[in-house]
């Protein structure tokens, strides 16, 4: 399914409300980075970032993790437009050395929980020592998979369609420096 993006000269025009400012994002991500650093001393964690939405979050998080660590990126897809398609695909896992590693999945948002559930299942096939989840946003009211509880959550948000800081609508708006609610007119005729 494809959606037509309304023409804009500035992507801020597509935003109804700023939900989390850039300053709030940076401050909270720094706190989470320090928390991860304390929890993983001596464990050389391997961060597995799920492309593409988690890139700005990963990038900012790296600035405040001060212990030895590594990161890899894999492509996971589950959405088309504003609706989940219910199908999840993961590329590139077989090229990673995951066995006995302490993994932290890096996500931009946990919504239904389907992507995280499928990713954890796929990672477990490679026998890691542990798996935790760090997510920028958590939308618990949309959860379909009940036993998904990310250890590190930067912000819990209400059930609104949000974009920015990596989150997209039809691949657009990822470059907003804040998290904002998309104007319904952007995706309605
Ligand atoms: C989005 C988001 C999460 C997932 C969350 O990914 O980045 O990975 O959906 O939804 P869920 O909890 O309902 O599964 P998307 O497939 O849109 O890919 P993207 O990261 O490239 O935007």
């Amino acid at each position: 399914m494809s959606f037509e993006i309304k023409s804009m000269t500035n992507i801020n025009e597509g935003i109804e409300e700023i939900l989390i400012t850039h300053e709030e994002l940076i401050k909270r991500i720094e706190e989470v980075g320090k928390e991860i650093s304390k929890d993983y001393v001596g464990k050389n964690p391997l961060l597995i970032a799920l492309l593409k939405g988690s890139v700005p979050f990963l990038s900012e998080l790296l600035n405040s993790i001060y212990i030895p660590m590594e990161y890899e990126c894999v492509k996971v897809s589950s959405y088309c437009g504003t609706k989940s398609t219910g199908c999840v695909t993961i590329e590139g896992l077989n090229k990673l050395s995951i066995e006995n590693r302490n993994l932290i999945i890096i996500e931009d948002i946990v919504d239904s929980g389907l992507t995280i559930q499928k990713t954890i299942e796929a990672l477990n096939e490679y026998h890691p020592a542990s798996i935790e989840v760090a997510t920028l946003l958590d939308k618990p009211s949309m959860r379909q998979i009940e036993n998904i509880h990310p250890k590190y959550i930067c912000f819990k948000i209400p059930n609104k369609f949000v974009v920015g800081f990596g989150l997209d609508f039809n691949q657009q708006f990822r470059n907003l420096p804040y998290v904002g609610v998309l104007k319904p007119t952007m995706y309605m005729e």
Side-chain angles (χ1 to χ4, degrees):
M1 206 186 304
S2 68
F3 293 82
E4 196 180 319
I5 292 286
K6 309 269 193 249
S7 98
M8 285 174 286
T9 52
N10 183 323
I11 55 170
N12 293 279
E13 292 167 16
I15 302 306
E16 187 168 73
E17 169 200 357
I18 296 178
L19 205 59
I20 310 168
T21 66
H22 186 70
E23 292 70 26
E24 288 168 332
L25 288 167
I26 302 309
K27 183 167 176 280
R28 178 66 188 134
I29 294 170
E30 184 179 354
E31 288 171 1
V32 169
K34 287 179 178 166
E35 205 181 327
I36 289 173
S37 303
K38 284 183 193 148
D39 292 348
Y40 283 84
V41 170
K43 293 184 174 172
N44 187 25
L46 174 60
L47 276 56
I48 306 276
L50 308 191
L51 297 173
K52 298 183 249 181
S54 69
V55 169
F57 175 40
L58 172 71
S59 169
E60 194 55 46
L61 193 62
L62 294 179
N63 291 330
S64 55
I65 297 181
Y66 53 79
I67 55 168
M69 57 144 285
E70 297 161 38
Y71 72 84
E72 298 281 359
C73 301
V74 295
K75 177 67 191 142
V76 176
S77 301
S78 67
Y79 271 72
C80 181
T82 57
K83 300 244 167 66
S84 171
T85 59
C87 78
V88 173
T89 57
I90 305 169
E91 296 164 30
L93 279 191
N94 57 344
K95 298 188 186 107
L96 310 183
S97 298
I98 288 173
E99 195 172 339
N100 291 325
R101 297 299 304 269
N102 292 291
L103 307 181
I104 308 175
I105 301 171
I106 306 296
E107 256 294 26
D108 56 346
I109 186 165
V110 179
D111 200 323
S112 69
L114 199 66
T115 303
I116 284 296
Q117 183 199 39
K118 296 287 179 195
T119 304
I120 290 173
E121 278 175 16
L123 289 170
N124 269 326
E125 298 281 316
Y126 297 88
H127 309 291
S130 66
I131 305 180
E132 296 291 354
V133 176
T135 187
L136 180 68
L137 305 177
D138 186 21
K139 213 190 251 187
S141 61
M142 290 300 286
R143 200 72 96 246
Q144 289 173 26
I145 313 293
E146 287 186 2
N147 62 346
I148 299 295
H149 304 289
K151 181 165 184 181
Y152 305 99
I153 298 169
C154 294
F155 297 92
K156 286 194 180 183
I157 61 163
N159 184 20
K160 294 184 172 182
F161 192 81
V162 292
V163 292
F165 214 76
L167 289 108
D168 74 307
F169 169 62
N170 205 23
Q171 303 304 326
Q172 298 286 321
F173 298 99
R174 294 190 199 272
N175 53 323
L176 280 174
Y178 56 82
V179 172
V181 179
L182 193 63
K183 280 181 184 165
T185 50
M186 295 307 298
Y187 51 85
M188 293 163 105
E189 294 197 10

